[in-house]
Amino acid sequence: MAQTHEKYQRLIDVCKTLPPTPTAVVHPVDRYALESAAEAASLGLIQPLLVGPEARIRATAKEWSIDIGAMEIVDSAFSQESAANAVQLVREGRAQALMKGSLHTDELMAAVVKRDAGMRTARRVSHCFVMDVPGYPEALIISDAAINIAPTLEEKADILQNAIDLAHALGVKDVKVAILSAMETVNPKVPSTIEAAALCKMVDRRQITGAVVDGPLALDNAINLEAARVKHIDSPVAGSANVLIVPDLEAGNMLAKSLSFLAGADAAGIVLGARVPIILTSRADSVMTRLASAAVAALVARARREAGNVVG
């Protein structure tokens, strides 16, 4: 099925009506990282602050004819220093988002979660894919497929609330969350079903807010109404979920990559739970996916400004 990117385009179009988000681009010393920043800046999604070795950045821009003339450069000698300096820009209020450049994700996240960095909140840091899946009526949020390997129930509560807050930032009117497992019944031998049920009770007690949540649900009856009907599942979420919470990183990673490589989906990525949103992109990402990731971060930054807080 041909991918038309209508869902991503809607996000980008909304962001074009907003002021560009000041964004620290961390160690952008290769073509991919610089082009990602330049592409997002050209559409007014972000206002890049390039944090890295100035000579290398300028040499890369010259080699690949990337226009960085209007971008400020904060000189840093090496990648760890770039990450630390980017975090400092957030602390100073000069940056409202971070964008990963030419460094390992672990290096960037180490600077973010460092206890004295001032980037942590009461919320657990988690990753969300915002997926544009051909044939599915709206963007599909999947969490967590990149950071939390085997989250506890307490950590899943934060992962769930982060994903709900993201959905609201993206303008989703009715947030419907499916807590996924291999089955839709609670089975004491399958821990993910018990945790799904516990999360739903936390929603009932308003420990988690902002969405209709149900689980455990299997993937088929979470996103396919006919599958839910066949199994006689009476649920306001079944068949129409727009947020999927996976049991662990392995399940989430395989789900996201299956959608990408078998269904032609694109996967914009963002990290939540720190003081500012963090854009994580991959060299394999399409131009549209890079732009969508920047747009998602811009919308999260706007939601935080309007809420007047830095949680989530």
Side-chain angles (χ1 to χ4, degrees), residues 103-278:
L103 77 170
H104 292 296
T105 299
D106 289 349
E107 290 180 287
L108 175 57
M109 294 310 300
V112 169
V113 302
K114 192 176 178 182
R115 291 197 175 275
D116 61 354
M119 287 283 290
R120 299 174 69 151
T121 70
R123 196 81 63 76
R124 177 81 177 182
V125 170
S126 63
H127 178 272
C128 286
F129 278 124
V130 181
M131 303 204 69
D132 189 340
V133 183
Y136 205 68
E138 54 188 312
L140 192 60
I141 296 172
I142 297 175
S143 187
D144 181 335
I147 289 183
N148 293 285
I149 298 172
T152 64
L153 175 60
E154 182 179 17
E155 291 164 350
K156 284 185 178 180
D158 281 348
I159 289 169
L160 173 54
Q161 190 67 68
N162 283 343
I164 292 170
D165 292 348
L166 172 60
H168 284 291
L170 300 186
V172 178
K173 293 181 181 178
D174 298 310
V175 184
K176 296 183 178 182
V177 184
I179 312 296
L180 295 184
S181 182
M183 59 198 70
E184 57 280 342
T185 54
V186 177
N187 185 332
K189 296 180 180 180
V190 184
S192 61
T193 67
I194 298 172
E195 292 184 345
L199 288 169
C200 291
K201 183 52 66 177
M202 292 172 78
V203 172
D204 290 343
R205 297 289 185 264
R206 299 193 61 77
Q207 294 171 261
I208 300 166
T209 60
V212 178
V213 181
D214 196 12
L217 288 171
L219 178 62
D220 58 346
N221 47 63
I223 62 174
N224 185 279
L225 188 57
E226 184 58 27
R229 286 173 178 162
V230 168
K231 293 188 177 182
H232 306 290
I233 298 172
D234 183 13
S235 164
V237 171
S240 59
N242 44 39
V243 178
L244 303 177
I245 302 299
V246 298
D248 54 35
L249 182 144
E250 290 176 310
N253 191 274
M254 285 186 275
L255 172 58
K257 288 182 178 177
S258 295
L259 290 172
S260 293
F261 290 94
L262 297 177
D266 283 324
I270 189 167
V271 173
L272 305 165
R275 283 184 59 185
V276 298
I278 302 164

Side-chain angles (χ1 to χ4, degrees), residues 283-300:
R283 290 176 182 273
D285 287 343
S286 66
V287 172
M288 178 58 78
T289 300
R290 300 179 203 174
L291 296 176
S293 295
V296 169
L299 291 172
V300 170

